[in-house]
Amino acid sequence: MDSGWMAVWPVAAFFLGGIAAQLTAFLNHRRQRAERAEDAEAGLRSRREEFELVHLVDVNQLLRKATEAARQLDTAVKLYGARKRDGILTAEDEQELADGLTDFRDAVDAVDAQLGFVLADEVRGSAVAAREALDNTFARLVTDQPVSWRPFELAMAGAYEALSARVRAIYAGQAAGGTSGG
């Protein structure tokens, strides 16, 4: 009987070794697959954040340029109107008004081109409100109505704060290990 058990033990050890090797390979494969998925998710999150950061900064800068263009257009419209009333309107005044209109339109078009790339809904909402304030200001300027700058400035300040807060949230998430909400 001893010789029978002696013949079974090597075979049993061989099978147990094979099972252990298969189990180890299976567990390693699952771990590696989980690591690859985690790396892919981290890479996707990183690319999303980089994309979003670029566009948040762009929209912020473009809104600031549009604000400056609105103020310059306001000055050009007032100067044009005053010179026209006084009867001393020149070709330079007309060109300055035309340039102001073109600059404003270009600035607003640039904002429009970037608004869709703001991924966070609440931030995009604030930027759209600022864009609407630009429209309202333009409508008042071209119809020779006084511009109420306070609501305009509040809309712009709200957009700047929302954009800045989102940028801070993204960077805070990266500092905390790359996790951030969107």
Side-chain angles (χ1 to χ4, degrees):
M1 187 120 156
D2 282 336
S3 66
W5 281 109
M6 293 302 277
V8 171
W9 279 115
V11 172
F14 176 76
F15 281 116
L16 288 175
I19 291 171
Q22 290 296 322
L23 181 62
T24 301
F26 173 75
L27 293 175
N28 282 338
H29 175 72
R30 278 188 45 189
R31 180 184 48 80
Q32 289 172 351
R33 187 175 61 200
E35 288 173 356
R36 281 193 305 270
E38 186 178 307
D39 288 346
E41 183 180 323
L44 181 62
R45 184 176 44 247
S46 176
R47 285 191 304 275
R48 179 187 186 275
E49 289 171 349
E50 288 172 17
F51 172 87
E52 189 174 6
L53 283 169
V54 166
H55 291 289
L56 291 169
V57 171
D58 284 349
V59 169
N60 188 311
Q61 291 171 342
L62 292 170
L63 283 173
R64 291 185 186 281
K65 286 179 184 177
T67 297
E68 180 61 27
R71 295 219 181 259
Q72 289 174 353
L73 180 59
D74 181 44
T75 301
V77 166
K78 287 178 181 173
L79 180 62
Y80 180 86
R83 297 242 169 133
K84 187 175 182 180
R85 279 188 302 276
D86 295 341
I88 55 172
L89 193 60
T90 65
E92 290 174 358
D93 296 326
E94 291 176 354
Q95 185 61 46
E96 187 175 323
L97 180 61
D99 290 346
L101 286 167
T102 300
D103 291 347
F104 181 79
R105 196 171 348 168
D106 290 347
V108 170
D109 287 347
V111 170
D112 286 343
Q114 292 297 317
L115 278 180
F117 295 115
V118 176
L119 301 179
D121 292 336
E122 67 280 356
V123 177
R124 188 175 47 258
S126 293
V128 167
R131 171 59 179 86
E132 290 170 358
L134 288 166
D135 280 343
N136 294 337
T137 300
F138 179 74
R140 296 189 74 78
L141 284 172
V142 297
T143 58
D144 202 25
Q145 297 177 26
V147 174
S148 176
W149 288 103
R150 184 69 181 145
F152 176 85
E153 290 168 352
L154 289 173
M156 290 301 161
Y160 299 147
E161 178 54 34
L163 291 162
S164 299
R166 182 64 187 136
V167 169
R168 287 190 304 272
I170 291 171
Y171 275 116
Q174 288 178 351
T179 59
S180 70

